[in-house]
Amino acid sequence: MSDRRAQGKQGEDRAATYLTAGGYTIIERNFTSRYGEIDLVCRDGDTLVFVEVKTRRPSGFGTAAEAVSRPKQRRLISAAQDYLQKTGDSHSSVRFDVVTIEGGRDGSPSITLIKNAIEFE
């Protein structure tokens, strides 16, 4: 497994633990469609939540949240629509959250949950 892939997997594990502690229920990990991958599909109460996890070590390349570009958002929305169609879950309210995990080399990483990070079109 590449270092980048291992970092991503570790970030998803941390995000899942963080979200579960916050009351989310993890339904599925790494849902893949022809539009891309959704890192975590969760329930937060009655709301179906699609979660994008971004992990970054300190660098000059911007923040983890900045990595969720507009084209990435469109792919996530398309993948979520594919998920809803495949599961037949069209009655749930839907939300897109982003979990950012930054730092971590010299200490504990900083984890931030951004609710309603992407507008569902």
Side-chain angles (χ1 to χ4, degrees):
M1 185 181 290
S2 72
D3 184 49
R4 187 170 167 225
R5 184 101 174 122
Q7 178 183 337
K9 168 88 169 78
Q10 184 178 38
E12 288 172 12
D13 291 343
R14 282 188 171 133
T17 300
Y18 178 84
L19 292 171
T20 301
Y24 286 57
T25 301
I26 308 298
I27 296 171
E28 189 164 345
R29 293 179 69 148
N30 305 113
F31 170 79
T32 304
S33 84
R34 64 187 176 124
Y35 303 105
E37 180 181 271
I38 299 172
D39 295 325
L40 300 169
V41 181
C42 308
R43 282 247 175 236
D44 182 19
D46 292 334
T47 303
L48 186 65
V49 185
F50 298 100
V51 180
E52 175 68 8
V53 179
K54 284 295 176 189
T55 305
R56 288 285 159 100
R57 291 189 177 132
S59 70
F61 295 111
T63 67
E66 290 171 333
V68 186
S69 65
R70 196 67 193 136
K72 174 68 173 177
Q73 291 176 28
R74 284 192 289 271
R75 287 191 303 275
L76 288 169
I77 290 167
S78 295
Q81 289 170 327
D82 195 35
Y83 177 89
L84 293 170
Q85 183 179 29
K86 286 181 178 177
T87 62
D89 189 355
S90 61
H91 302 293
S92 293
S93 59
V94 173
R95 185 174 79 222
F96 289 88
D97 292 354
V98 172
V99 173
T100 63
I101 303 170
E102 298 186 84
R105 268 199 187 143
D106 298 342
S108 297
S110 170
I111 301 175
T112 304
L113 170 62
I114 306 166
K115 290 186 175 186
N116 292 309
I118 301 170
E119 292 293 321
F120 188 66
E121 301 168 351

